[in-house]
Amino acid sequence: SFVQRDLPYGFDDLAPHLDRSVLEIHFTKHHAGYVANLNAALEHSDLINKSLESLVADLSVVAEGQRAAVKKLAGQHYNHQLYWESLSPRGGGEPVGALADAIVRDFGSYDEFRKQFSAASAAQFGSGWAWLSDNNGKLEVSSTGNEDTPLMTGAKPLLTLDVWEHAYYLQYQNRRPDFIEAFWNVVDWNA
């Protein structure tokens, strides 16, 4: 079955940028629900043994009648897992090494990348995600709605920001730009 990995930090560890109420409800209710429902949907299927990444990347292996539900649940599980791993209480700052070099190569500067990523996060209408992905050796910023992920189009997600209201509303209410700004203080470039 699919497993929700433990957070790599405690519920209080990202404060004041993301407080306990936001993380605890988001992780224990929203993400946990997606995992439980995915396992229930695939309980009697050999798809339960596939890796999460391969399932999300190739939904054609899912029976037509189950495809929409599995897409939603597996996509949300994958996206949330990457999101949690994109954060750290020791995060923030700028990337170094090969990632920093690739960002400068493909965006011109870290500041330009950050500007594009923040804009994609803010412009995503309704529920969705902002992404930094590797698309055939070139970094790109994008956003997707709902459970969609760049995996579904062949890109490799490296970093994501959850811009569904459940990711920030308890702390930031309707101030998504403030939430996006807070993200830069906890982004884990090492991950």
Side-chain angles (χ1 to χ4, degrees):
S1 63
F2 294 99
V3 175
Q4 181 185 22
R5 294 191 291 253
D6 292 337
L7 286 177
Y9 38 79
F11 291 128
D12 293 315
D13 292 346
L14 300 181
H17 311 292
L18 294 173
D19 68 22
R20 180 182 190 92
S21 65
V22 171
L23 288 178
E24 190 168 23
I25 291 171
H26 193 174
F27 184 78
T28 65
K29 304 295 185 211
H30 291 279
H31 186 189
Y34 297 132
V35 177
N37 290 332
L38 176 62
N39 285 326
L42 296 177
E43 185 175 22
H44 301 293
S45 167
D46 62 348
L47 296 175
I48 199 85
N49 298 316
K50 288 186 72 70
S51 75
L52 180 61
E53 189 170 291
S54 66
L55 181 62
V56 171
D58 182 15
L59 289 162
S60 70
V61 300
V62 181
E64 185 66 37
Q66 278 191 300
R67 195 169 297 151
V70 171
K71 176 183 184 251
K72 173 187 169 187
L73 299 168
Q76 287 292 4
H77 179 28
Y78 175 84
N79 294 356
H80 278 90
Q81 197 65 55
L82 181 60
Y83 175 62
W84 303 128
E85 293 167 0
S86 295
L87 307 174
S88 171
R90 294 167 305 286
E94 296 184 22
V96 296
L99 179 58
D101 295 343
I103 286 173
V104 169
R105 178 193 72 214
D106 294 336
F107 297 100
S109 69
Y110 170 77
D111 290 338
E112 181 59 27
F113 153 71
R114 183 171 163 165
K115 179 180 165 186
Q116 288 184 32
F117 190 93
S118 293
S121 302
Q124 175 58 42
F125 181 76
S127 302
W129 303 82
W131 302 93
L132 172 65
S133 302
D134 179 335
N135 192 351
N136 295 313
K138 181 172 174 34
L139 296 182
E140 65 182 14
V141 166
S142 64
S143 63
T144 60
N146 301 317
E147 68 280 345
D148 289 352
T149 171
L151 273 179
M152 296 171 178
T153 59
K156 174 65 176 162
L158 303 174
L159 173 73
T160 192
L161 176 58
D162 185 346
V163 293
W164 285 64
E165 285 185 342
H166 69 239
Y168 63 88
Y169 204 83
L170 288 175
Q171 184 174 358
Y172 291 96
Q173 292 83 43
N174 63 335
R175 300 183 320 271
R176 186 189 285 184
D178 293 347
F179 168 67
I180 295 165
E181 189 61 30
F183 167 75
W184 297 112
N185 295 299
V186 292
V187 63
D188 187 356
W189 294 115
N190 292 324

